[in-house]
């Protein structure tokens, strides 16, 4: 899923233009920590608890979360580890933007790889003075976005930003120029201002772009002015930060919800006051099922191609665990060495798992254990797993991990071929008093063509859910030119 689709779906689903700033400012956190009896803890501990609380409280009411890289870098190596925790805490359907203000050409390629591939963020802010070259390494990632800072709210910047004259200031020249670097779904604009007039000038120069404000505002009159100046024809296209003072309040979630409702009332009023001629514009945009389906198909296609490109599909003569000999082999173990791809695979699993009811996740040894671990962390569900063999020493456990009799367990595996290993694992789980109803796999080998494995599980009362099947993978790879007709015939 590309950044723009992700953002617009978050706006539509949460009906919000708000975003959360996750900047662990020592001064701001001091009173928050003191009220919670954490005054004597280290700043890192305070920041960790604050970040978790803010994400949990605001996620239902915002369409994006933004973290300033500098605050985390200032904490040294532990700060970068904290940034990884931020990535894990932010729900995958919310865009995560890193505010880097990066402007150094020499390190652009390396930083783009770190932020987009290693850290897995969705967008990054850049400084524009180096020209298009600064954005190029970041724009190579088609599913990500860059946010160009076209204006700073710092008073001392006015001498530069309004050169050569107030009539044609430099910041508007930047707005016009940087729109040539990337499409509206790849390139956004950050505007540092609390002045509706300034925001209106930027909107006039960039009617199709998403504008991201940096201002801290609290007065209702200022909010009305900014919305009037910054909304696009569909009454969106403007991201407003939650005021920083709210981020340390005890009723943060409640206040964020109230602010979201206030903004939505103003958006509805804005639409009423700005009638549009038929055919020239559209109503307040909400993601339609067909658009969401298209975005999902694009994400699935990209995932299949990336899995193929890192060597997850091999051709040759391979003996499967069941003893059957295939002319190809699907090796999903490769994904654990590519953090960004691994996150995307986990997200595809999560889409299915979030529709199910369960108390614990069980991975089938050994191939799916990394995946089950990642899903446990992402979904905040305890992990257990049946041992492949019972130890002859120590506790001699059949099931590793903590559980209670009667707990409902969802079983996770990588690929379903015969169903034998899954049934073997389920038997161990059920013999320990656990309840299994659902099995989720990444690839159903048989798909609709050969349903024997699926029917084998369903006959015993287990529901099977699969992200992909071999036929879908084959169609995608053949259409993209990754497979020859002969290779496709082997798979089908």
């Amino acid at each position: 899923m590309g950044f723009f689709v992700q953002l617009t779906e978050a706006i539509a689903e949460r009906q919000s233009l708000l975003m959360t700033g996750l900047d662990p400012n020592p001064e701001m956190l001091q009173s928050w920590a003191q009220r919670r009896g954490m005054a004597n803890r280290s700043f890192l501990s305070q920041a960790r608890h604050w970040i978790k609380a803010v994400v949990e409280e605001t996620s239902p009411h915002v369409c994006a979360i933004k973290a300033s890289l500098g605050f985390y870098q200032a904490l040294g190596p532990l700060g970068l580890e904290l940034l990884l925790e931020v990535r894990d805490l932010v729900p995958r359907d919310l865009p995560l933007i890193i505010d880097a203000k990066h402007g150094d050409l020499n390190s652009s390629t390396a930083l783009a790889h770190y932020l987009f591939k290693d850290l897995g963020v969705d967008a990054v802010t850049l400084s524009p003075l180096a020209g298009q070259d600064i954005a190029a390494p970041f724009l190579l990632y088609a599913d990500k976005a860059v946010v160009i800072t076209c204006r700073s709210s710092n008073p001392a910047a006015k001498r530069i930003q309004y050169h050569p004259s107030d009539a044609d200031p430099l910041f508007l020249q930047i707005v016009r120029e940087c729109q040539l670097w990337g499409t509206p779904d790849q390139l956004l604009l950050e505007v540092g201002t609390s002045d509706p007039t300034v925001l209106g000038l930027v909107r006039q120069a960039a009617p199709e772009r998403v504008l991201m404000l940096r201002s801290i505002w609290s007065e209702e009159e200022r909010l009305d002015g900014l919305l009037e100046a910054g909304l696009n024809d569909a009454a969106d296209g403007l991201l407003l930060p939650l005021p920083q003072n709210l981020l340390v309040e005890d009723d943060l979630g409640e206040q964020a919800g109230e602010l979201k409702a206030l903004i939505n009332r103003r958006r509805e009023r804005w639409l009423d006051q700005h009638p549009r001629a038929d055919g020239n514009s559209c109503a307040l945009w909400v993601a339609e099922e067909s658009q969401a389906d298209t975005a999902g198909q694009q994400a699935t296609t990209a995932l299949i191609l990336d899995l193929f490109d890192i060597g997850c599909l091999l051709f040759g003569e391979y003996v499967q665990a069941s003893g059957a000999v295939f002319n190809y082999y699907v090796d999903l173990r490769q994904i654990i060495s590519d953090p960004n791809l691994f996150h995307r695979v986990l997200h595809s699993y999560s889409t299915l798992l979030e529709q199910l009811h369960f108390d614990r996740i069980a991975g089938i040894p050994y191939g799916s254990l990394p995946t089950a671990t990642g899903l446990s962390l992402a979904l905040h569900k305890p992990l257990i797993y049946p041992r492949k063999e019972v130890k002859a020493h120590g506790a001699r456990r059949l099931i590793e991990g903590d559980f209670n009799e009667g707990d409902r367990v969802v079983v996770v595996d990588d690929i379903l071929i015969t169903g034998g290993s899954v049934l073997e694992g389920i038997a161990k789980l059920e013999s320990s008093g656990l309840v299994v109803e659902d099995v989720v796999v990444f690839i159903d080998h048989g798909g609709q063509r050969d349903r024997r494995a699926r029917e084998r599980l369903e006959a015993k009362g287990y529901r099977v859910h699969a992200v992909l099947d071999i036929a879908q993978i084959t169609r995608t790879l053949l259409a993209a030119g990754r497979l020859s007709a002969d290779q496709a015939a082997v798979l089908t």
Side-chain angles (χ1 to χ4, degrees), residues 396-411:
R396 302 184 181 181
R397 293 190 183 94
L398 183 64
I399 308 295
E400 294 290 358
D402 183 51
F403 60 90
N404 299 309
E405 186 174 345
D407 282 346
R408 185 177 299 175
V409 177
V410 62
V411 171

Side-chain angles (χ1 to χ4, degrees), residues 181-297:
W181 303 350
T183 60
D185 59 344
Q186 282 187 292
L187 191 144
L188 296 72
L189 297 171
E190 183 181 53
V191 189
T193 187
S194 58
D195 184 348
T197 301
V198 171
L199 182 60
L201 291 173
V202 176
R203 172 53 74 201
Q204 184 178 2
E208 297 181 349
R209 301 288 161 160
V210 174
L211 307 182
M212 186 172 79
L213 281 183
R214 284 189 56 82
S215 308
I216 299 174
W217 41 268
S218 57
E219 298 176 7
E220 197 168 309
E221 295 79 8
R222 185 181 300 174
L223 172 60
D224 286 344
L226 291 172
L227 290 173
E228 176 68 26
L231 291 175
N232 62 16
D233 288 343
D236 54 24
L238 181 66
L239 304 183
L240 300 138
L242 281 169
Q244 277 194 327
N245 64 292
L246 291 189
L247 300 180
V248 294
E249 296 294 332
D250 295 335
D251 58 347
L252 169 59
E254 182 180 340
Q255 291 200 51
E258 291 174 355
L259 181 57
K260 177 178 72 172
L262 172 64
I263 291 172
N264 283 335
R265 290 195 295 271
R266 296 294 188 270
R267 292 170 68 193
E268 291 294 340
R269 187 176 71 183
W270 189 95
L271 283 170
D272 292 339
Q273 294 174 348
H274 295 76
R276 298 171 302 283
D278 292 340
N280 293 329
S281 58
C282 59
L284 187 60
W285 186 87
V286 177
E288 296 179 359
E289 185 176 352
S290 60
Q291 294 170 310
D293 288 346
T294 300
Q297 291 168 4

